[in-house]
Amino acid sequence: MNKLTILSLGTVLALGACGGGASAPSAASAARPAAATTAPARTSAPTGAAPAAPTTARKIAIVVKNYQFDTSAIDVKVGETVDFVVDNKDEEKHNMVGLGENVKLTSPDIDMGASITYRWTAPEKAQSFKVICAYHKETNPITMNVK
């Protein structure tokens, strides 16, 4: 045999010895039970997680008439959830928009003659800011005091 054939034959034998092929299980592995391949079925609901309590909100009624909000100031608590019930008595749409840093108060439009309920959660930090109608600059602002 030539050297190349002997070298090739030696490589094949070495690779086969490394476990490249299938072999019968050893006596030690045959004695062990096979590991489960699927997770056991759940028999009960998870524990420790209580259902979330429904959020209750304070209702604050606001009427817009003659392009004016019927209130000039509102006091709310830090983090308080509020339902603004806004009644538009005008013949044009209105909305409520909070002006200030980190203020997230933008109601949907309130069509002429319509009423809406808009849920809002006050900021987690005490502050005061203005609430305006973005459509009508002549509408008086509401001062929102978060305490």
Side-chain angles (χ1 to χ4, degrees):
M1 285 193 191
N2 67 27
K3 289 182 181 182
L4 184 62
T5 305
I6 294 173
L7 183 60
S8 297
L9 184 60
T11 303
V12 170
L13 292 174
L15 288 175
C18 290
S23 63
S26 68
S29 66
R32 287 187 299 230
T37 58
T38 59
R42 233 179 230 263
T43 57
S44 65
T47 60
T55 303
T56 57
R58 177 168 60 122
K59 291 190 185 309
I60 297 176
I62 298 173
V63 176
V64 187
K65 185 175 181 180
N66 298 323
Y67 299 91
Q68 300 299 307
F69 292 118
D70 70 343
T71 187
S72 60
I74 298 172
D75 294 336
V76 296
K77 295 177 184 174
V78 168
E80 181 178 11
T81 301
V82 173
D83 280 343
F84 292 109
V85 181
V86 186
D87 189 13
N88 182 358
K89 302 285 188 185
D90 284 331
E91 293 182 5
E92 291 192 40
K93 68 181 173 183
H94 290 289
N95 67 359
M96 295 173 56
V97 177
L99 302 177
E101 192 173 321
N102 296 320
V103 173
K104 293 179 171 104
L105 190 158
T106 304
S107 77
D109 290 347
I110 307 121
D111 290 328
M112 62 180 193
S115 292
I116 66 157
T117 298
Y118 168 63
R119 181 161 283 187
W120 173 73
T121 302
E124 293 295 327
K125 180 180 176 186
Q127 61 182 301
S128 291
F129 59 91
K130 300 289 184 195
V131 176
I132 64 165
C133 172
Y135 297 109
H136 305 102
K137 304 297 182 213
E138 66 273 17
T139 303
N140 63 309
I142 298 171
T143 301
M144 187 72 63
N145 299 303
V146 181
K147 300 178 176 184

